[in-house]
Amino acid sequence: MTGQRVTIVGGGLAGTEAAWQLAERGFAVTLYEMRPVRPTAAHITDNLAELVCSNSMGSTLPDRALGILKNEMQRLGSLILRTAYKHALPAGSALAVGRDEFAAEITGLIGSHPNIDLRREEVTAIPDGPTILATGPLTSPDLTVDVQRLTGRYLYFYDAMAPIVVADSIDMSIAFRQSRWDKSSMDGPEEGDYINCPFDRAEYEAFVTALLESPRNELKGADAELERYFEGCMPIEVLASRGLDSLAYGPMRPVGLRDPRTGRRPHAVVQLRQDNVAGTLYNMVGFQTNVKWGQQAQILQMIPGLANAEFVRMGQMHRNTFINSPTLLHPTLQYRERDDLFFAGQITGTEGYVGSTMGGLLAGINMARLLTGQPLLVPPRESMMGSLLYYITHADPENFQPMKANMGLLPDLEERVRGKQQRYGVYAERARVALANYLAENAFTPVIQTEAEVA
Ligand SMILES: Cc1cc2nc3c(=O)[nH]c(=O)nc-3n(C[C@H](O)[C@H](O)[C@H](O)COP(=O)(O)OP(=O)(O)OC[C@H]3O[C@@H](n4cnc5c(N)ncnc54)[C@H](O)[C@@H]3O)c2cc1C
């Protein structure tokens, strides 16, 4: 084993990825995870790397932002992605994951690794010595205070999670299986990956009216003042308040779907996506809500096909803690004023499961390089990793908000390419080449070799 011990705080997606990268490179790691001793408002299990809301890790297409990011992370040897692909569920061109099997496997691998000492304890102050802080959007309050002491400032806001339905309780004489444009991952066009609940116009208008009249959980005090939403994770009631048709153009859009009962496109749909391997649970895609739970069930049961639906989780809102990375971090993920302190995951403002994991991957690799005197990695701007890291460390600090991987972060192409599809292909290829060259120049070897080498 290599000499120095590294402390990692937080056994979520970023923390476990970082721990694996270091342990596999021969470092002794102490990984602190406070659950189950101290639960969070969103985690349900004691498992490490729990997916707290949706079970989707987004697109796998090699020319989409999350597809590019995933492929880059596989080149760097991500444990989380290798395990996610192993537990993939049918979801068209998205990587949906059997969440329990996935998290159980990560928990087993980390818990049994000879170089990792897993401690189920809350850390309340930032440790001394080589440390990676990966406590996520629900960092415990005491540690948040210490992060605030260190950084002088921190930010937080809220976003919301979608309900989960028992599959057997969906009325399939009304709802139907179909993927948009018949793009199914495994079963062929006649058996789509999604369950769709179709609305006619009258049903849709009644639903929106009831939704707007329903009571919501109020946020209190300073929380209410700081309430802000991501456009991509906005509660349905907030979207609905923007206009009668907002939902029908947003999460309830019917494009690419045909109701087999009528042969026509419905006025609106609610889509449900498989949530566990057994296929017994489905989550309501894009249906985050903060309507009070009693009324929420009643409103959701107005959805055609869900009149008798049984919900295993209602929609809810949650805190999302993150630091002001543009003023605090280097693109290596090191804290500017302390070289052996790294931040990783959602707390840095890299939003989403894959973005958060990416931070853990890079922080783990860079900590190993720091402790062995090698130059630290800063992936090139042309890559999705590099662009995301550049964004969180160079954005306007006054208006800094967490950011998902997206094509808009990539630097412009030198030559104009007509057509979005072609353009995305050129971006993707440029990213692939830039990262491959950079890794070769830095003699980088991943701890996991993958065959899912990317087109
Ligand atoms: C409710 C909710 C829903 C979300 N939904 C989605 C979604 O659908 N899709 C998506 O892509 N992203 C989603 N996100 C955003 C983000 O991708 C996830 O939060 C992701 O899990 C972040 O990874 P992480 O490793 O940074 O944090 P986490 O996975 O949350 O891991 C942090 C870990 O640190 C532990 N911890 C916290 N404080 C301490 C402490 N003081 N001592 C020891 N351990 C501590 C926590 O228990 C936790 O296990 C959601 C976030 C939240 C909060």
Side-chain angles (χ1 to χ4, degrees):
M1 223 178 331
T2 343
Q4 262 172 306
R5 178 168 285 277
V6 177
T7 303
I8 299 179
V9 191
L13 292 169
T16 53
E17 182 70 68
W20 182 262
Q21 296 300 323
L22 281 154
E24 285 287 288
R25 287 175 170 81
F27 290 88
V29 174
T30 304
L31 173 62
Y32 288 94
E33 170 50 56
M34 67 178 183
R35 290 175 293 118
V37 182
R38 195 169 278 271
T40 77
H43 292 83
I44 299 171
T45 72
D46 298 348
N47 278 335
L48 304 178
E50 178 179 330
L51 301 177
V52 280
C53 181
S54 159
N55 67 330
S56 173
M57 291 197 174
S59 179
T60 55
L61 296 174
D63 57 357
R64 291 294 182 275
L66 276 174
I68 297 172
L69 184 60
K70 285 193 193 74
N71 289 339
E72 293 176 355
M73 289 165 61
Q74 285 188 286
R75 280 166 183 262
L76 268 74
S78 165
L79 171 74
I80 292 287
L81 279 185
R82 182 183 72 176
T83 313
Y85 275 108
K86 188 169 161 192
H87 297 289
L89 299 171
S93 54
L95 172 57
V97 179
R99 65 174 80 227
D100 292 337
E101 298 76 7
F102 162 77
E105 179 161 346
I106 296 289
T107 306
L109 287 170
I110 296 289
S112 63
H113 199 293
N115 292 350
I116 301 177
D117 174 15
L118 173 60
R119 300 199 188 163
R120 299 286 189 162
E121 288 171 38
E122 180 189 2
V123 171
T124 53
I126 298 170
D128 293 328
T131 299
I132 298 177
L133 209 106
T135 43
L138 305 170
T139 297
S140 69
D142 284 353
L143 186 60
T144 304
V145 169
D146 201 48
V147 172
Q148 187 181 16
R149 177 199 56 74
L150 178 81
T151 62
R153 60 195 296 185
Y154 74 104
L155 311 169
Y156 67 97
F157 72 112
Y158 283 78
D159 56 17
M161 55 209 277
I164 295 183
V165 183
V166 175
D168 274 356
S169 69
I170 303 170
D171 182 348
M172 293 305 291
S173 69
I174 298 174
F176 60 95
R177 275 190 175 277
Q178 213 173 81
S179 297
R180 284 190 207 281
W181 315 110
D182 286 336
K183 280 189 183 160
S184 178
S185 59
M186 296 180 183
D187 304 330
E190 67 285 352
E191 253 308 76
D193 294 338
Y194 292 82
I195 293 178
N196 303 279
C197 298
F199 289 73
D200 63 23
R201 174 170 273 283
E203 288 165 337
Y204 172 78
E205 289 183 0
F207 175 76
V208 172
T209 307
L211 179 63
L212 288 174
E213 286 169 358
S214 56
R216 301 167 198 183
N217 291 311
E218 296 300 329
L219 301 176
K220 297 197 176 70
D223 288 352
E225 284 163 35
L226 286 166
E227 177 182 343
R228 277 187 246 159
Y229 309 102
F230 281 135
E231 282 293 319
C233 207
M234 185 171 290
I236 48 169
E237 60 274 14
V238 175
L239 259 180
S241 67
R242 292 178 166 185
L244 183 60
D245 292 328
S246 309
L247 286 171
Y249 283 100
M252 294 176 70
R253 67 192 178 284
V255 292
L257 295 168
R258 191 167 296 279
D259 184 345
R261 285 185 309 163
T262 63
R264 288 200 311 273
R265 185 166 98 171
H267 180 71
V269 295
V270 170
Q271 285 204 300
L272 295 107
R273 180 174 53 218
Q274 189 175 330
D275 199 74
N276 60 346
V277 173
T280 52
L281 298 177
Y282 273 73
N283 62 62
M284 303 179 67
V285 179
F287 245 58
Q288 306 85 355
T289 174
N290 197 32
V291 168
K292 286 199 172 185
W293 286 7
Q295 286 84 357
Q296 195 181 126
Q298 287 170 17
I299 303 256
L300 296 177
Q301 284 170 343
M302 291 176 70
I303 295 171
L306 299 191
N308 298 310
E310 192 188 320
F311 297 95
V312 294
R313 185 183 73 198
M314 302 310 297
Q316 55 190 282
M317 293 189 70
H318 63 87
R319 193 152 69 90
N320 189 349
T321 308
F322 59 97
I323 60 168
N324 196 266
S325 295
T327 57
L328 301 171
L329 298 186
H330 291 302
T332 53
L333 293 177
Q334 283 166 298
Y335 188 65
R336 287 192 195 171
E337 313 216 324
R338 195 182 130 185
D339 271 0
D340 67 350
L341 173 62
F342 290 71
F343 282 80
Q346 176 106 357
I347 196 169
T348 66
T350 48
E351 165 66 14
Y353 297 148
V354 183
S356 298
T357 304
M358 183 277 286
L361 177 64
L362 189 77
I365 292 168
N366 272 345
M367 177 67 91
R369 293 175 79 93
L370 178 77
L371 298 179
T372 49
Q374 297 173 74
L376 273 56
L377 297 185
V378 179
R381 282 262 356 244
E382 292 79 8
S383 66
M384 193 55 75
M385 287 183 73
S387 280
L388 199 49
L389 290 162
Y390 183 85
Y391 178 84
I392 61 158
T393 49
H394 292 79
D396 171 10
E398 295 309 314
N399 297 301
F400 180 59
Q401 287 288 317
M403 182 59 78
K404 276 199 158 130
N406 67 80
M407 300 301 277
L409 295 177
L410 296 171
D412 286 343
L413 295 171
E414 280 178 16
E415 284 177 22
R416 191 175 145 74
V417 178
R418 285 189 176 277
K420 190 164 131 186
Q421 195 62 41
Q422 285 83 346
R423 202 162 48 248
Y424 281 9
V426 177
Y427 275 124
E429 179 58 12
R430 183 182 67 170
R432 191 187 69 76
V433 171
L435 187 66
N437 290 342
Y438 179 77
L439 295 179
E441 282 159 21
N442 283 278
F444 176 80
T445 317
V447 291
I448 293 175
Q449 301 281 356
T450 173
E451 283 178 20
E453 197 38 351
V454 201

